[in-house]
Amino acid sequence: MAAAYLLEKVSWTGISSDFKISLTSSRTQQLCDAMTVSKDLMLGLLLAAGGRGSIGVGGGGSTSELTNWDGTKKNTGWGI
């Protein structure tokens, strides 16, 4: 269901043929149907996506600094 929703939102601009669009869409759906995701993994992913997990998703730009979910710089333990 989630894959179908996301595929509906995809911009197919720049893909040269209906065959490529159809193949990409059907193969994505097949792969998603074959996957099994545990409830624990889903909970972790949902927490991370909501910004409440311990995964820093913020970028540091070109400096690649580690950041917390709220954008503050992570303490690396190296005194930096």
Side-chain angles (χ1 to χ4, degrees), residues 1-70:
M1 200 164 79
Y5 174 78
L6 291 174
L7 286 169
E8 288 176 10
K9 302 294 182 190
V10 170
S11 169
W12 299 105
T13 305
I15 296 183
S16 59
S17 71
D18 290 339
F19 172 76
K20 288 181 182 179
I21 293 170
S22 176
L23 178 64
T24 302
S25 179
S26 63
R27 188 65 180 132
T28 300
Q29 191 68 45
Q30 288 172 347
L31 290 171
C32 290
D33 289 343
M35 294 173 74
T36 55
V37 180
S38 69
K39 287 183 181 183
D40 290 337
L41 177 58
M42 280 304 300
L43 179 60
L45 292 171
L46 289 171
L47 286 174
R52 294 180 299 275
S54 60
I55 298 172
V57 294
S62 62
T63 61
S64 298
E65 295 175 336
L66 295 175
T67 58
N68 295 312
W69 66 269
D70 61 354

